[in-house]
Amino acid sequence: MVQRVSATRAFARIAPHVVPVLDRAVHRLTRGKVLLSARMLPGLVLTVPGARTGRPRTTPLACMPEGKVEGAWILVGSNFGRTGHPAWTANLLARPDEAVVNWRGRDIPVRATLLEGEERARVWEAALVFWPPYAAYQRRLEREIRLFRLERR
């Protein structure tokens, strides 16, 4: 049921204004130990300097952990199925070696790689198994949803 609701246009209009605000507040109050949205999907908090300003930008995001060792994550720039790329994706493109994730209360410096070609296609298929609503998001969009791999530096 949660997946069905999250694939709707109404969710895409409302969630971007509610979910990140709640996640930031709870994350701050619990000193990085809890993300509300992580009750549905694994989540992390990404901090990366802004592409234009260079000021730190912090965004709670769903993620797909990759591999058996905690140290690699896939981020899907779905923007809840809205038309534009999320701002954090531009920040990662501009400053891929300056990102830090907060994962389960620990800050971890990471390097971001935009996935393309066959590798992107393979990871996209895994992401659709992981969270099927991504397919509904992509159908609504003319842009290709960006996928990033974050790995420990």
Side-chain angles (χ1 to χ4, degrees), residues 2-153:
V2 170
Q3 289 183 7
R4 249 184 262 140
V5 169
S6 71
T8 65
R9 290 181 191 274
F11 183 81
R13 281 191 302 272
I14 296 166
H17 304 288
V18 176
V19 174
V21 172
L22 289 173
D23 268 345
R24 281 186 193 101
V26 171
H27 190 260
R28 191 174 23 241
L29 289 170
T30 62
R31 295 191 177 120
K33 291 185 175 54
V34 176
L35 273 178
L36 285 180
S37 61
R39 300 298 177 222
M40 291 188 302
L41 286 171
L44 54 75
V45 177
L46 172 70
T47 301
V48 63
R52 289 184 297 222
T53 67
R55 288 186 291 215
R57 302 295 183 200
T58 300
T59 310
L61 297 167
C63 67
M64 188 172 77
E66 195 175 50
K68 301 209 184 289
V69 178
E70 290 182 352
W73 302 267
I74 298 297
L75 297 183
V76 179
S78 68
N79 205 14
F80 296 96
R82 298 182 320 171
T83 55
H85 290 290
W88 61 264
T89 67
N91 297 341
L92 284 180
L93 288 172
R95 301 172 187 271
D97 294 324
E98 299 178 46
V100 174
V101 297
N102 185 277
W103 173 253
R104 298 183 176 165
R106 294 186 332 267
D107 288 335
I108 302 168
V110 294
R111 176 173 293 106
T113 305
L114 177 65
L115 301 181
E116 299 176 297
E118 289 180 23
E119 183 177 25
R120 186 206 178 276
R122 182 180 50 74
V123 172
W124 178 249
E125 289 305 315
L128 293 179
V129 170
F130 183 73
W131 188 246
Y134 288 143
Y137 296 168
Q138 186 63 77
R139 280 192 301 274
R140 287 199 301 259
L141 300 171
E142 293 180 22
R143 68 178 173 88
E144 182 176 75
I145 292 174
R146 292 174 176 161
L147 300 180
F148 287 87
R149 175 176 289 116
L150 303 181
E151 297 175 287
R152 286 179 186 262
R153 283 190 264 136

